[in-house]
Amino acid sequence: MTNPHSFPSERSVTCEPFHPRGDSRQLSDSSSPTSAELTDCLFFSPEDGRIWLNDQRMVLLHSASFGALRAEIIERLGLEQARGLFTRAGYACGARDARLIRERWPQADAAAVFRAGTHLHTLEGMTKVEPLHFKFDADSGFYEGEFLWHHSCEADEHVATYGTGQDPVCWTETGYAMGFVSGLFGQMVIFREVECRGMGHRCCRVIGKTCEQWGDVEQDLSYLNVSQTVTRPAAAPLPDSPVSCGAQGGQQQPLIGASAAFNAATQALQRVALTSATVLISGESGVGKEMFARQLHQLSGRHDRPFIALNCAAIPDNLIEAELFGVERGAYTGATQSRPGRFERAQGGTLFLDEITCLSLAGQSKLLRALQEREIERVGGVRGIKVDVRVVAATNIDLRKAVADGSFREDLFYRLNVYPIALPPLRERRDDIPLLINAFLTRFCREYARTPAGLTMRALKVLLRYDYAGNVRELQNLIERGLIASDEGQAIDLVHLFRNEAMPTDPYGLDDQGGLSTTDLRPAHPDKPSALLETLGQLDQGFSIDGLESRLINEALLQSAGNLAAAARLLGLSRAQFAYRLKKHQRHRPQRSQAS
Ligand code: ZN
C-alpha cells in the first residue's frame, strides 16, 4: 500500500525497495535531499516542549546521561545483552529515518536518498559521518559501502567509562546504519566497525554489505533479535521488523491515535465495552465523543442492534421528552399520530446522549427514572414500556460543577458516572497529529478525487504546534479546507489552511549557522521590492499599476467564483470599495471583453 502524502501512518509503510541502483561517485552535492533540506525538517516547539524531525518527536539527551544509562545497562545485563539492546535501539532510529526520507522525497535520486542517512545521523548528533564510497543495485541484491565516523558520541562515552578495549563499541550507530540502509534497500545490510575510537583508532571505519556478501552474519543478526536467538541469513528478520511500533497490522482502526493519553482512553473504552455499564464521556467540543461512543457500541455485545444518538442541545426543552420517550396520538396539539422515542428506537442497542447538561431538570428526572426502572412511558401514554438500552452520556462541561450550582441532579450524576472516560484535547495528544493529518488527507483525497503533493514543511510545522481550540474537528476542517484551496498536485501551504484568519506565530527551526531562528511564514513568493518588480516586468503586456489592479480584481473574482464580498475580502477591501474598482475597470475594458 503506497500513499501519496508526505507522511503516511506507520501502518501504511512497506519496505519494498524503489531505488534500484546508485553509486556515490555519481552524486552531486545539490541532489535532493540536501543537508540543508534535511536540517529544515528539524524544528523546535519550546512552548509545548516538543522537538520534531519532520513528523517524528525527538528529544535532546545529554551525551553524558546517555553514557551513564548505557553503563548501567551494561552492568545489569552484561556486555552482549546490552550490545543487542543498543543495536536494536539504533536500528529503530535508522529505520524511522529511512521512512522519513522515502516518504518526503519519493522521487529523489537513489544515491542521494542513501546519502541522506549520513546527513541525518550527523544532524542528530551521534557522529559525523564521512562517506568514502557506496554502491548498490537492488535488482541483483548488491550493496557495498565504506564510511568514517568522526568523534562518535557512543565511543567517547564508552571510553570515558571503560577506557579503550579490544572490540568496537559504537553499537547504536552501527544499528542505525543497518536500520537506515536495510530500510531503504529492502533486504538486510549488515554494518561492521573494522576500526573504532573505542579500540584506540583516530576515528571509526565501518563497512556495510548484504548478509550474502558477508557470509558469516549469525552474530551480527543475533544483536537484532530480541530473543537473542541466532537466525540463519536466509531467515533474516525483515528490515522493518524491529520497529513495528505497535502498528495494528491490517486491523480496522477507526479511532486514530498512538499517544499515551489517547491509549489510556481507548483502553478504558475496550474494558467497559463488553459490560452493560452506563458510560459517561467527558471532553471538550470536537474531541470525538460521538466517535468514541460509536466505537464502544461496535465493541459491545449490542453491536448488531441500533446505535441512536441525540444531542440534547439541539432539541428545544418542550420537545425533548417526546423525542426521548415518544408520544401517543393526541397527547398534545399536533400529535396526530403515535411515534416511538429514541429510547424505544435504541431497543437492545445503545443510546448516546450528547451535551447531557442541556437537559431540563424535568427531563433529567424522567431520564433518571428510565435508567432506574428500565421502563419508559410515552408522552400522553398510560402504560410503561420495558426498554433494554445502554446509555452513554457525554458532556463538555464539568458535571460536578453543574451539580454544585444546582443545574444538574446529583442522583442522575451518580447514575451516569458509573464508568467515566475523559477524552484528552488535541493539544494534549500532539503526537497523534501526524497520524490524524494523514488519515484526513487520505480520506478527503478519496472524497474529492485528488492527489495532492502533501503539506509544505512550514504548514506541517504550524499544524504540529497549533492550539486547536476546536480539537480534532478543527484539524479535520483545516485539512479539508487546505485541500480544497490548493490546486491539484500542489502542496498544501499555510495560505490554504488559514485563508482569512490570522496566521499562527512562527515556530523555531535551525538557521544556516545551526542556531534557533523563526521560520518565514509568508507566502512562498519573494516579496522584496526588487523581486516584485522583476516579477511584474515579466507580465505579458508590460506592467502598469492600472493593469495590475485590473488583474488582481479578475483573479480575486475567479478565486471567489464571482462572489463580490469574498473577492473583496481577498484583497483586503470592503465590498463597496471593491465594487467601485470593478466598475472602473469594466468601463476601461477593451470592446472584446465587454461583449463576452
Ligand atoms: Zn566506533
Side-chain angles (χ1 to χ4, degrees):
M1 174 165 74
T2 52
N3 194 297
H5 318 306
S6 41
F7 32 81
S9 70
E10 307 274 358
R11 279 182 279 285
S12 61
V13 173
T14 60
C15 49
E16 61 195 74
F18 55 93
H19 300 288
R21 62 185 64 81
D23 189 326
S24 59
R25 283 167 302 188
Q26 296 154 3
L27 195 55
S28 103
D29 281 345
S30 59
S31 311
S32 230
T34 63
S35 176
E37 284 169 328
L38 292 166
T39 305
D40 199 36
C41 288
L42 179 65
F43 56 102
F44 292 76
S45 190
E47 298 92 340
D48 69 2
R50 283 178 173 76
I51 304 171
W52 298 95
L53 181 68
N54 199 47
D55 60 339
Q56 300 279 317
R57 187 173 173 180
M58 306 295 280
V59 65
L60 276 180
L61 176 71
H62 300 79
S63 178
S65 306
F66 169 69
L69 173 70
R70 188 173 178 278
E72 191 172 331
I73 290 174
I74 292 172
E75 300 309 322
R76 297 214 178 179
L77 298 182
L79 211 64
E80 285 297 286
Q81 291 273 351
R83 179 172 180 171
L85 197 147
F86 282 97
T87 306
R88 292 192 294 276
Y91 186 101
C93 298
R96 275 176 176 248
D97 281 354
R99 194 174 300 169
L100 184 165
I101 300 297
R102 288 194 320 201
E103 289 157 13
R104 203 149 177 94
W105 287 276
Q107 307 300 328
D109 174 74
V113 162
F114 276 79
R115 183 189 57 187
T118 68
H119 288 324
L120 280 177
H121 207 181
T122 302
L123 182 67
E124 287 163 20
M126 290 305 284
T127 181
K128 158 82 181 159
V129 185
E130 182 189 338
L132 295 177
H133 60 84
F134 60 88
K135 193 174 175 178
F136 57 92
D137 182 344
D139 292 339
S140 63
F142 175 86
Y143 178 94
E144 202 167 82
E146 187 173 0
F147 304 82
L148 295 181
W149 289 345
H150 298 279
H151 34 80
S152 146
C153 151
E154 196 169 9
D156 283 358
E157 294 304 333
H158 188 92
V159 170
T161 311
Y162 299 104
T164 54
Q166 301 296 309
D167 295 306
V169 300
C170 303
W171 308 328
T172 316
E173 289 147 38
T174 306
Y176 180 97
M178 294 195 274
F180 186 87
V181 174
S182 304
L184 285 178
F185 197 54
Q187 56 177 293
M188 207 55 218
V189 173
I190 298 293
F191 278 81
R192 285 181 190 165
E193 283 189 281
V194 293
E195 293 174 10
C196 180
R197 261 163 86 83
M199 296 156 68
H201 296 101
R202 187 179 57 82
C203 63
C204 310
R205 179 183 298 269
V206 275
I207 290 177
K209 294 180 197 174
T210 62
C211 292
E212 285 68 27
Q213 287 162 258
W214 282 114
D216 55 338
V217 291
E218 282 82 0
Q219 198 184 359
D220 306 84
L221 288 174
S222 73
Y223 295 125
L224 289 172
N225 283 334
V226 183
S227 59
Q228 290 282 351
T229 48
V230 173
T231 320
R232 285 180 302 109
L238 278 172
D240 261 9
S241 61
V243 281
S244 57
C245 306
Q248 316 235 330
Q251 200 184 323
Q252 197 66 32
Q253 177 63 277
L255 298 176
I256 297 151
S259 64
F262 181 83
N263 270 335
T266 42
Q267 274 166 21
L269 180 88
Q270 281 161 4
R271 208 168 297 130
V272 75
L274 290 171
T275 73
S276 58
T278 304
V279 175
L280 178 64
I281 302 178
S282 61
E284 295 178 8
S285 286
V287 292
K289 294 190 284 290
E290 183 168 341
M291 285 259 298
F292 262 77
R294 283 184 187 277
Q295 179 73 357
L296 182 79
H297 175 72
Q298 280 307 317
L299 293 172
S300 76
R302 300 169 173 265
H303 60 89
D304 52 354
R305 308 295 301 157
F307 174 92
I308 302 289
L310 176 71
N311 186 337
C312 301
I315 310 282
D317 258 4
N318 56 340
L319 295 181
I320 190 95
E321 231 180 284
E323 202 53 51
L324 274 176
F325 306 112
V327 273
E328 288 296 348
R329 191 159 68 99
Y332 52 79
T333 322
T336 52
Q337 52 186 334
S338 300
R339 60 181 170 89
R342 309 270 173 138
F343 258 100
E344 280 177 77
R345 284 163 55 198
Q347 190 66 271
T350 306
L351 176 62
F352 175 63
L353 300 175
D354 202 357
E355 304 206 41
I356 191 79
T357 50
C358 291
L359 212 55
S360 67
L361 284 169
Q364 288 176 28
S365 60
K366 295 220 165 98
L367 175 60
L368 179 66
R369 212 179 51 230
L371 288 171
Q372 279 170 338
E373 290 161 24
R374 300 182 179 281
E375 190 175 287
I376 53 133
E377 214 168 84
R378 287 183 180 176
V379 176
V382 286
R383 59 179 184 99
I385 302 169
K386 284 280 171 205
V387 283
D388 167 27
V389 170
R390 178 196 214 159
V391 170
V392 178
T395 174
N396 56 10
I397 66 169
D398 188 346
L399 267 192
R400 282 177 198 279
K401 274 191 192 146
V403 169
D405 70 22
S407 63
F408 202 82
R409 287 182 67 118
E410 189 173 15
D411 44 8
L412 178 59
F413 167 70
Y414 286 115
R415 252 308 147 179
L416 294 175
N417 198 35
V418 177
Y419 194 87
I421 298 178
L423 297 187
L426 187 52
R427 62 185 169 279
E428 282 171 24
R429 43 177 285 225
R430 286 187 191 276
D431 298 344
D432 293 336
I433 293 173
L435 289 172
L436 289 164
I437 292 176
N438 177 66
F440 294 143
L441 263 181
T442 306
R443 187 172 107 205
F444 291 127
C445 284
R446 199 173 46 232
E447 278 178 24
Y448 293 107
R450 289 275 303 273
T451 47
L455 286 158
T456 64
M457 198 62 222
R458 59 184 184 179
L460 174 61
K461 283 181 184 180
V462 166
L463 286 182
L464 286 174
R465 56 189 295 285
Y466 186 64
D467 196 40
Y468 298 108
N471 288 298
V472 179
R473 191 182 299 139
E474 183 175 13
L475 174 60
Q476 179 182 323
N477 289 349
L478 283 172
I479 297 296
E480 184 172 12
R481 180 200 299 183
L483 187 72
I484 294 170
S486 60
D487 291 330
E488 173 67 21
Q490 181 190 19
I492 298 174
D493 202 355
L494 278 179
V495 286
H496 307 124
L497 294 171
F498 303 92
R499 287 169 65 82
N500 296 320
E501 296 148 36
M503 289 264 181
T505 49
D506 312 359
Y508 293 85
L510 292 190
D511 64 21
D512 298 345
Q513 277 76 45
L516 282 186
S517 69
T518 55
T519 307
D520 186 359
L521 295 180
R522 291 166 300 181
H525 311 289
D527 62 354
K528 288 179 306 218
S530 59
L532 179 58
L533 279 176
E534 212 169 281
T535 312
L536 293 171
Q538 291 161 0
L539 291 180
D540 305 340
Q541 294 112 12
F543 157 67
S544 71
I545 297 276
D546 262 0
L548 181 64
E549 189 176 81
S550 163
R551 209 167 147 154
L552 281 172
I553 286 169
N554 283 333
E555 283 183 18
L557 276 173
L558 270 177
Q559 204 169 325
S560 59
N563 181 323
L564 288 197
R569 267 201 303 280
L570 283 175
L571 297 178
L573 298 173
S574 71
R575 194 184 179 284
Q577 288 169 326
F578 183 83
Y580 168 79
R581 284 177 166 76
L582 176 64
K583 215 167 173 185
K584 184 179 85 178
H585 284 285
Q586 280 173 339
R587 262 204 315 276
H588 295 139
R589 263 186 192 183
Q591 214 54 39
R592 180 177 51 86
S593 304
Q594 275 177 343
S596 62

